[in-house]
Amino acid sequence: MVSSTFYAIIAGVGSGTGRSVALKFARTYPVVLVARKPESYNDIVSEIRQSGGHAIGVSADTSDPAAVSSAFKTIHDEFQGKKLAAAIYNVGAGFAVKPFLETTLSDLDASLSSNARGLFNFSQAVLPSLLSSVPYSPFPPTLIITGATASLKGSARFATFAAGKFAARALAQSLAREFGPQGVHVAHTIIDGVIDIPRTKGREVNGGIEDGKISPDAIAESYWHLHTQHRSAFTQELDLRPYVEKF
Amino acid sequence: MVSSTFYAIIAGVGSGTGRSVALKFARTYPVVLVARKPESYNDIVSEIRQSGGHAIGVSADTSDPAAVSSAFKTIHDEFQGKKLAAAIYNVGAGFAVKPFLETTLSDLDASLSSNARGLFNFSQAVLPSLLSSVPYSPFPPTLIITGATASLKGSARFATFAAGKFAARALAQSLAREFGPQGVHVAHTIIDGVIDIPRTKGREVNGGIEDGKISPDAIAESYWHLHTQHRSAFTQELDLRPYVEKF
Amino acid sequence: MVSSTFYAIIAGVGSGTGRSVALKFARTYPVVLVARKPESYNDIVSEIRQSGGHAIGVSADTSDPAAVSSAFKTIHDEFQGKKLAAAIYNVGAGFAVKPFLETTLSDLDASLSSNARGLFNFSQAVLPSLLSSVPYSPFPPTLIITGATASLKGSARFATFAAGKFAARALAQSLAREFGPQGVHVAHTIIDGVIDIPRTKGREVNGGIEDGKISPDAIAESYWHLHTQHRSAFTQELDLRPYVEKF
Amino acid sequence: MVSSTFYAIIAGVGSGTGRSVALKFARTYPVVLVARKPESYNDIVSEIRQSGGHAIGVSADTSDPAAVSSAFKTIHDEFQGKKLAAAIYNVGAGFAVKPFLETTLSDLDASLSSNARGLFNFSQAVLPSLLSSVPYSPFPPTLIITGATASLKGSARFATFAAGKFAARALAQSLAREFGPQGVHVAHTIIDGVIDIPRTKGREVNGGIEDGKISPDAIAESYWHLHTQHRSAFTQELDLRPYVEKF
C-alpha cells in the first residue's frame, strides 16, 4: 500500500533510469516527477496512476533556481503535512562528445548546469525536508545522485561531460559527509555502461550480447536498496555495470 | 522455503558478519559454515536448524590448501547433485596493530595467510562450482569478499593488516574482471567502521551514539542485495559505514 | 641563460605558488604572468627583470572568454615567432567554506568559474600553441594544473569548492588522455596542505611545527620536474604535502 | 663528487629500472646493489666504479629474513660510521600471467614473497638507519618503492601479480603515514607501461612508436626528484607512463 505520510521526488525522468526508479518508489510512496517538459513525465504519471499509485509531474529546469523554487512551491502545496522520504537526482543533459578544441564554453556550461548547478539547486530544496523527516521516516531519508563512468575518469573527447559529472560527485561526497551524521543518507551511483532504453536500442554494446546493456529496472532495485539501508550501514557510492563490461 | 537445488557457503563465521550473513542466506539456501573451529559455527548451525533451515559446519583453516581440499570433499559429498549459488569469504584474522618496527614477519604472514592465501584457496575451490551453476541459478552465482577500511588505505600501525586486505582486494578485482563475463558476480565490500558484535560491546565508538557501530544484520541485507542483482547491473565494490562515521 | 625561442605562461600569480613557479620558470624562459589585477603580478615582473629575466604581466579574468581572448592577442603579439614551452594554470578563487544550506548558487558559480570555466578558456587558448611546439621544444610542451585536497575528496562545508576542483581535475585528465599522445604533457597536482605564504602567516598548522606548511618554492621545483620529464615517462598526477600532514 | 658521509641502497637491480637508479644515485652517493645473484649487479658495479663512483654488490633474496639480516650485516660493516640517505625497493619477481584457475598457490606465494615479504624485510632493515639520518641528511632520507599498473588495478589473468603489488602499496602507504612525520620520505611509484630494457626489446608496444616504452633513465630522474623533495612537499605516489599509453 502506498504511504499516506511520506512521498518521494525523482528529478530527471524520461524513458530510462528515472522512469524505472519512479515506478519502483511509487509502489511505496506517492511520487513527484520533475522534468523540463511534461512529455517526459506524462506517460509515467499515467502508468503509476493506472497501477494504483499516486504521482504528479512538475516541470522545471533544475539548473534554474527560480524554476526550482517555483516547482517546490507547487510540491510543498501538494504534499502539505507529508514528509519527504527520498529524493533522486537523475538529471543528465549536457553530453557533448567532441575533441576538446571543438568544444565550446557552452558545452562546458551545459554540463556544469545540468550536473552541478541543477544538483545544487535540487539539494538545497530537498535537504531541509529530508532533515525534518529524520525522526519519522521508516527508512533513513535518502538523497541519491546518478553518476556515470565519467564521474570517476576524464577521457579524451569527454572533457566537458566529465567536468560536470566530477563536480556532481564532489557535491554528493560533501553532502554525505555533512548530512550523514544528521541522519540523511546521501549516496552517489556510478552507472558504468549503456542503459537499455528505447534511445539506445540500435546501439550494439558489448558485442550485442544479452544483458550487455544495463536494465533500468535493475538500477531501480539498487536505488531502493540504498534507500532502505539501515543507518548503521550506509553505502556512499555504488557502481553498477553489466557482467560483460570492460572496466 | 529453502531451496532443494542450490546451496551457499560462508567461510569465516563467528559472532559477527558471518553469522548474520549465514542466517540471511539460510532463509533461501541450505548453508555450509566454514570456520577453523566448531565452536565458531556450532551455535549458528543450531540456530538455523531450529528455525527450519538447513546448515552444516565444516572445520578448516582456509589458508591451508590441504584443509580446504578436504573440507570441499566433505561439502561436495554432502551437496552432491546440488548447485552452489553463493560463496562468501569473510575470514579476517591477522590483525596486528603495532608500530611497524615492532611488527614481525609473522604478523605479515598471518595477515597475508588469512586474507590473501585463504581467499585464493577458497576461490579456487568455489569458482568451478559457481561457474557450473551459471545456467541454472535464479540469481547470478556470487562470490562476495569482505573487506575493510584497510582495504583502501594503509595507515600508520596498520601496515601488516593493510597488506593482507589490499591483496584480497586485488584478488577480488581480478576475479571480477575474469569471471564476471562468464556470469559469476564477484563483489568486494568495504566495511568502514566497527561492527556491533559481542566482542566490540565495550568499545565506545563514534561517541557511543546509537547505531554508531555497524549492525551485522544490515551487512547481511546488503550482501543479499549483491547476490540478487541482475547480471546487467553488477556492483563490484560496496562501502558500508555508520551514518556518523568520519570518512 | 633565458631562452630566446620559447616562453612560458603562468595564470594565477600572487604571493604563493604562482610567484614561485614564475620565478623558477623565468630562469629558463621569458614568462607571461596572468592575473586579474596588475597588483598581483607587478612585483613579480620587477623581481624577474631585476634578476636578468624577461617577464610581462597581462590582466585577465580567465573565466571570461573575451578577456582571455584579448589577453592572448597581447601575448601572441608580444611573443610572435616564439614557441610556448609551458603553461601553468594556478587560478584558485571561489573558496567558500560554509555549511551547505548557507552557501548560495553564487558560491558554486564562483568556484566553477575560476576552477573549471577559467581552466577551459585557458586550455583552449594554450593548447594549439603547445601542440605546435611539440617538434621543437627541448622538453615536452607542458600544461600543469594546480589542484588541492578538495580535488580528490568532497568534505562537509567544502561542497562548492570541491565541485570546482573536481571539475578541473576532470578536465586535466581528459586533456592528458587527448593531448598526451600528441606530445603535450598535461599534469595535475594535488597540493595537500596549507601553503606557506604571507596570507597564511598567522595560521597555526600541524601544531606550528617547522616546515608544516608547504614551501611554494618546493612546489615550483616539482612543477619544473614535471615540465622536464621525458615523454616516455609522464606523470599525470602528483601529490605534494608536508611530512607531518595527516592524510 | 660522491659523498663520503652518506650512501644509498638499491634492492632489485638488473638491466632496467634498478640499474638506471643505481647509476643516477651513484653520482652523489656510494651505492649498495642488492640482488639475488651476482650476475645481476656485477656489471653495474663495474660501470659505476669505472666512472669514478663507489659501489658494492650484495647477494640476498629479500624475501628471506635471514638473508636480509646477513646482507645488512655486510652493509653496515662496509659503511660503518656512514649515514643512509636513500633506499630503493625495486624487486619485482613473481609475475605469473595466467587464467586464475590455472594459477597455483605457489604463484601467489612467489608474488607475495618478492613484493610484500621482501619489502617488509627490507623496510625493517633500512628504516632505523633512515631515521637516524634525519638530522644529518642534506635531503630527507628516502624510501622509494617501485609499483606497477597492477598496484592500482587487479585485472583478469593478473590476480597473483596484483595481490603482491597491492600488498606492497599498502605497506608503502602505511610506512609513509608512520615515518613521514618522523622525517623519512616514503614514496611509491606506479610504473604504468613497459620499460625499455633488453628483455622487452622484441615486444611491440604502443604500435612500436618511438618512446612508447618507458626509459629507465627517465624513471631514475623522477626517483632522484622524489629523493630531493623538500620535507614540506613530499610526494607519496608518482605515476609514470609513456605519452602514448592508454590509461
Side-chain angles (χ1 to χ4, degrees):
Chain A
M1 219 188 69
V2 174
S3 167
S4 59
T5 316
F6 298 99
Y7 68 105
I9 303 176
I10 297 100
V13 296
S15 56
T17 305
R19 177 182 167 277
S20 291
V21 170
L23 295 175
K24 176 74 190 175
F25 280 67
R27 291 188 211 166
T28 306
Y29 303 121
V31 293
V32 183
L33 311 186
V34 181
R36 268 181 298 187
K37 295 175 186 167
E39 301 91 277
S40 297
Y41 56 70
N42 277 340
D43 288 356
I44 315 174
V45 167
S46 303
E47 196 174 348
I48 291 170
R49 288 179 181 170
Q50 277 159 25
S51 53
H54 180 71
I56 63 164
V58 179
S59 300
D61 175 347
T62 52
S63 69
D64 173 357
V68 170
S69 175
S70 152
F72 274 84
K73 204 185 161 318
T74 305
I75 294 168
H76 294 151
D77 285 352
E78 179 82 13
F79 290 93
Q80 221 173 348
K82 302 215 188 321
K83 299 279 175 199
L84 183 61
I88 285 105
Y89 192 77
N90 184 54
V91 177
F95 203 136
V97 182
K98 299 191 232 175
F100 179 70
L101 294 173
E102 292 174 23
T103 56
T104 64
L105 192 54
S106 305
D107 294 322
L108 178 67
D109 282 342
S111 175
L112 295 176
S113 277
S114 78
N115 290 300
R117 302 176 94 241
L119 172 58
F120 182 92
N121 295 328
F122 183 76
S123 300
Q124 291 228 325
V126 299
L127 277 163
S129 301
L130 292 169
L131 283 170
S132 76
S133 304
V134 169
Y136 310 103
S137 183
F139 304 116
T142 306
L143 170 59
I144 301 175
I145 297 115
T146 302
T149 317
S151 305
L152 291 183
K153 184 173 175 177
S155 302
R157 302 166 57 95
F158 284 79
T160 57
F161 181 57
K165 283 296 179 192
F166 269 57
R169 186 170 177 248
L171 293 175
Q173 287 186 6
S174 303
L175 298 178
R177 291 186 168 101
E178 183 169 342
F179 294 95
Q182 300 177 61
V184 175
H185 185 184
V186 181
H188 180 256
T189 64
I190 304 291
I191 309 297
D192 184 22
V194 171
I195 304 178
D196 189 13
I197 50 174
R199 185 164 48 81
T200 63
K201 225 47 175 183
R203 271 167 76 186
E204 193 179 287
V205 171
N206 286 319
I209 202 168
E210 198 188 343
D211 296 327
K213 294 176 193 167
I214 307 177
S215 152
D217 290 347
I219 297 176
E221 290 298 326
S222 284
Y223 279 34
W224 183 254
H225 176 67
L226 289 172
H227 174 49
T228 60
Q229 283 183 321
H230 187 248
R231 68 174 173 170
S232 79
F234 280 168
T235 292
Q236 208 288 302
E237 190 158 84
L238 186 90
D239 57 298
L240 292 169
R241 69 178 60 75
Y243 70 118
V244 288
E245 191 77 18
K246 283 258 177 298
F247 72 105
Chain B
M1 221 188 67
V2 174
S3 168
S4 58
T5 316
F6 298 98
Y7 68 105
I9 303 176
I10 297 101
V13 296
S15 57
T17 305
R19 178 182 166 275
S20 291
V21 171
L23 295 175
K24 177 72 190 177
F25 279 67
R27 291 187 211 164
T28 306
Y29 303 121
V31 292
V32 183
L33 310 186
V34 181
R36 268 181 297 186
K37 296 175 187 168
E39 301 91 276
S40 298
Y41 56 70
N42 277 340
D43 287 356
I44 315 174
V45 167
S46 303
E47 196 175 347
I48 291 171
R49 288 179 181 169
Q50 277 158 26
S51 55
H54 181 70
I56 61 164
V58 179
S59 301
D61 176 347
T62 52
S63 68
D64 173 357
V68 171
S69 175
S70 153
F72 273 84
K73 203 185 162 318
T74 304
I75 294 168
H76 293 151
D77 284 353
E78 181 82 12
F79 291 93
Q80 221 174 348
K82 302 215 189 318
K83 298 279 175 198
L84 182 62
I88 285 105
Y89 191 77
N90 184 55
V91 177
F95 202 136
V97 182
K98 299 191 231 173
F100 179 70
L101 294 174
E102 294 173 22
T103 55
T104 63
L105 192 55
S106 302
D107 294 323
L108 178 67
D109 283 341
S111 176
L112 295 176
S113 276
S114 78
N115 290 300
R117 301 176 95 240
L119 172 58
F120 182 92
N121 294 329
F122 183 76
S123 300
Q124 290 227 327
V126 299
L127 277 163
S129 300
L130 292 169
L131 283 170
S132 76
S133 303
V134 169
Y136 311 103
S137 182
F139 305 116
T142 305
L143 170 59
I144 302 177
I145 295 115
T146 301
T149 318
S151 305
L152 290 183
K153 185 175 173 174
S155 302
R157 303 165 57 93
F158 284 79
T160 57
F161 182 57
K165 283 295 180 192
F166 270 56
R169 186 169 178 249
L171 292 175
Q173 286 187 8
S174 303
L175 297 179
R177 292 185 167 103
E178 183 169 342
F179 294 94
Q182 300 177 60
V184 176
H185 183 185
V186 181
H188 180 256
T189 64
I190 305 290
I191 309 297
D192 185 21
V194 171
I195 304 178
D196 189 12
I197 49 174
R199 185 163 50 80
T200 63
K201 223 51 175 180
R203 272 167 76 185
E204 193 178 286
V205 170
N206 287 318
I209 202 169
E210 199 188 343
D211 295 330
K213 294 177 193 167
I214 307 177
S215 153
D217 290 348
I219 297 176
E221 290 297 325
S222 284
Y223 278 34
W224 183 255
H225 176 67
L226 288 172
H227 174 51
T228 60
Q229 284 184 319
H230 187 249
R231 68 173 174 172
S232 80
F234 280 169
T235 291
Q236 208 287 303
E237 190 159 85
L238 186 90
D239 57 298
L240 291 169
R241 69 177 60 75
Y243 69 118
V244 287
E245 191 77 18
K246 285 258 177 297
F247 72 105
Chain C
M1 220 188 68
V2 174
S3 168
S4 58
T5 315
F6 298 99
Y7 69 105
I9 303 176
I10 297 101
V13 297
S15 56
T17 306
R19 178 182 165 276
S20 290
V21 170
L23 295 176
K24 176 74 189 175
F25 280 67
R27 291 187 211 165
T28 306
Y29 304 120
V31 292
V32 183
L33 310 186
V34 181
R36 268 182 297 187
K37 294 175 187 167
E39 301 90 277
S40 297
Y41 57 70
N42 277 340
D43 288 357
I44 315 175
V45 167
S46 302
E47 197 176 345
I48 291 171
R49 287 179 182 169
Q50 277 159 25
S51 54
H54 181 70
I56 63 166
V58 178
S59 300
D61 175 347
T62 52
S63 69
D64 173 357
V68 170
S69 174
S70 153
F72 274 84
K73 202 185 163 319
T74 305
I75 294 168
H76 294 151
D77 284 353
E78 180 83 12
F79 291 93
Q80 220 173 350
K82 302 215 188 323
K83 298 278 175 199
L84 183 61
I88 285 105
Y89 191 76
N90 185 55
V91 176
F95 203 137
V97 182
K98 298 191 230 175
F100 179 70
L101 294 173
E102 293 174 22
T103 55
T104 64
L105 192 55
S106 303
D107 294 323
L108 178 67
D109 283 341
S111 176
L112 295 176
S113 276
S114 78
N115 290 301
R117 301 176 95 241
L119 172 58
F120 182 92
N121 294 329
F122 183 76
S123 299
Q124 291 227 326
V126 299
L127 277 164
S129 301
L130 291 170
L131 284 170
S132 76
S133 304
V134 169
Y136 309 104
S137 183
F139 305 116
T142 306
L143 170 59
I144 302 175
I145 296 115
T146 301
T149 317
S151 305
L152 291 184
K153 184 174 174 175
S155 303
R157 302 165 57 93
F158 283 79
T160 57
F161 182 57
K165 284 295 179 191
F166 269 56
R169 186 169 177 249
L171 292 175
Q173 286 186 7
S174 303
L175 298 178
R177 291 186 167 101
E178 182 169 343
F179 294 95
Q182 300 177 60
V184 175
H185 184 185
V186 181
H188 180 257
T189 63
I190 304 292
I191 309 296
D192 184 22
V194 171
I195 303 178
D196 189 12
I197 49 174
R199 186 164 48 82
T200 63
K201 223 54 178 179
R203 272 168 75 185
E204 194 179 284
V205 172
N206 286 320
I209 202 168
E210 199 188 341
D211 295 328
K213 294 177 192 165
I214 307 177
S215 153
D217 291 347
I219 298 176
E221 290 298 324
S222 283
Y223 278 35
W224 183 254
H225 176 67
L226 288 172
H227 174 49
T228 60
Q229 283 183 320
H230 187 249
R231 68 175 174 169
S232 80
F234 279 169
T235 292
Q236 208 288 301
E237 190 158 84
L238 185 90
D239 56 298
L240 291 169
R241 71 179 57 76
Y243 68 119
V244 288
E245 192 78 17
K246 284 258 177 297
F247 72 106
Chain D
M1 220 188 69
V2 174
S3 168
S4 57
T5 315
F6 298 98
Y7 68 105
I9 303 176
I10 297 100
V13 296
S15 56
T17 305
R19 178 182 166 276
S20 290
V21 171
L23 295 176
K24 177 73 190 176
F25 279 67
R27 289 187 212 165
T28 306
Y29 303 121
V31 293
V32 182
L33 310 186
V34 181
R36 269 181 297 187
K37 295 175 187 166
E39 301 91 276
S40 297
Y41 57 69
N42 277 341
D43 287 356
I44 315 174
V45 167
S46 302
E47 196 176 346
I48 290 172
R49 288 179 180 170
Q50 277 159 25
S51 55
H54 181 71
I56 61 165
V58 179
S59 300
D61 175 346
T62 52
S63 69
D64 173 357
V68 170
S69 175
S70 153
F72 273 85
K73 203 185 163 319
T74 305
I75 294 169
H76 293 150
D77 285 352
E78 179 83 11
F79 290 94
Q80 220 174 348
K82 302 217 188 320
K83 298 277 174 200
L84 184 61
I88 285 105
Y89 191 76
N90 185 55
V91 176
F95 202 136
V97 182
K98 300 190 230 173
F100 179 70
L101 294 174
E102 294 174 21
T103 55
T104 64
L105 192 54
S106 303
D107 294 323
L108 178 67
D109 283 341
S111 176
L112 295 176
S113 276
S114 78
N115 290 301
R117 301 176 94 240
L119 173 57
F120 182 92
N121 294 329
F122 183 76
S123 299
Q124 290 227 326
V126 300
L127 277 164
S129 301
L130 292 169
L131 283 170
S132 76
S133 304
V134 169
Y136 309 104
S137 182
F139 305 116
T142 306
L143 170 58
I144 303 175
I145 296 115
T146 301
T149 317
S151 306
L152 291 183
K153 185 175 174 174
S155 302
R157 302 166 57 95
F158 284 78
T160 57
F161 182 56
K165 283 296 180 192
F166 269 56
R169 187 169 177 249
L171 292 175
Q173 286 186 8
S174 303
L175 298 178
R177 291 185 169 104
E178 182 170 341
F179 293 95
Q182 301 177 59
V184 175
H185 184 185
V186 181
H188 180 256
T189 63
I190 304 292
I191 309 297
D192 185 21
V194 171
I195 304 179
D196 190 12
I197 49 174
R199 186 163 48 83
T200 63
K201 223 53 179 179
R203 271 167 75 187
E204 194 178 286
V205 171
N206 286 318
I209 203 169
E210 198 188 341
D211 295 328
K213 294 177 193 166
I214 307 177
S215 154
D217 291 347
I219 297 176
E221 290 297 326
S222 283
Y223 278 34
W224 183 255
H225 176 67
L226 288 172
H227 174 50
T228 60
Q229 283 183 320
H230 187 250
R231 68 174 174 169
S232 80
F234 280 168
T235 292
Q236 209 288 302
E237 191 158 84
L238 186 90
D239 58 297
L240 291 169
R241 69 178 58 75
Y243 69 118
V244 288
E245 192 77 18
K246 284 259 177 294
F247 73 106

